[in-house]
Amino acid sequence: MRFIHAADLHLGMVPDAQHPWGRERANALLHSAEKIVDLVLQENVDALFLMGQIFHLPPLQKDLEAIQQLFQKIPFCHVFLFCKNAEENYFLRSFSFPENVHIFTEESSRLYIPEPEMEILAVQEKDFSLSKALSFTLEHEDAIPLLLWNGDKMESPEDASFNASALPFSYIALGRGKERAVFLEGKAVFPGSPEPLGPESTGKHGVYLGNIHPITKKLDSLSFHIISSVQYIPLHFRLDPSVGQEALRQRLSKEIEKRGLQNIYRIRFSGNRDPETKIIPGLLSKEIRLVEWIDDTIPQYDFYALYREHQQDLLGFFIRSYLRKDLEDLNPSEKQSLFYGVSALLEGGKS
């Protein structure tokens, strides 16, 4: 039995809405559903587990009609998704999907599929744990046992009081996980969203393709397939006073070019720098997508020279309050206050 496990598509969401590329990111979420259906066709899978939050907000009729058009392309594949039994999900609960689409609305339910033969325990209880699933038994002895758990917390193997072989399931499909993770010797998986949803969603994003042997009922293959062509990439540059403005600009450009202009960047700077080296976003070309720019560097001022130049103004008075003892005798907190205070007075024109 071949399957694809995807989760948390968040269709309708606009990641980075405040940035010029926000609409492009929203379209990428919609395209991710199309890519998943294309993979179903390509791999001829029997089941598609759509876990987690498929729609970012309760879907309207037009949203459901759009996704139904995709499902109509794969009538041979059983599609499984969850919907909480709440008034806000009226359209999803009442929508007429084709027979191959199965929607779980209860906190816990069982479903038997005769071809390919599988028996599913579907759960979206808040306080459910794997320990509760140990008592699961098949009602159809030849069926493949599956657990679809739409929860947001997964016991780690170290915390669980059982091992993978004790679980009465061939595979456990999880949703609502913030990051991609594989548990219990590969039997339980959080696939993560097929597209990154925000700056914290680093790394590659996609879906899992697996196969369960119909006789042994064991998972005999599981592979990750990349869906997204965009990543949020964190970069950290540690500077020293020898790094000048132009050298820093070239270093930034080289690192970003190496990783791809299609990606979105979070950039942080630390270390000591020449006061003439300015850490400003203007170092980047306009086409680079930037969501975070953090300057934790400390400018290496010549405080004695600055004091001699500004003895009669506010900057000089500020420096003198710290230089009553040697620089080497200042504790880390005092040094930081001195550096930041001098930077603020110099850059603010208050001296």
Side-chain angles (χ1 to χ4, degrees), residues 104 108-112 119-122 136-139:
F104 301 109
S108 180
S109 56
R110 292 178 70 134
L111 177 66
Y112 172 69
E119 197 165 329
I120 295 168
L121 174 62
F136 177 85
T137 56
L138 285 170
E139 295 176 356

Side-chain angles (χ1 to χ4, degrees), residues 135-153:
S135 60
F136 177 85
T137 56
L138 285 170
E139 295 176 356
H140 304 80
E141 62 179 6
D142 293 330
I144 293 172
L146 300 166
L147 171 61
L148 308 188
W149 182 11
N150 222 33
D152 56 5
K153 185 174 69 174

Side-chain angles (χ1 to χ4, degrees), residues 249-265:
R249 185 194 307 275
Q250 292 178 9
R251 186 176 168 193
L252 278 165
S253 298
K254 182 180 178 181
E255 292 298 324
I256 290 174
E257 200 172 300
K258 183 166 59 177
R259 290 164 174 80
L261 292 176
Q262 80 279 8
N263 294 314
I264 304 168
Y265 291 89

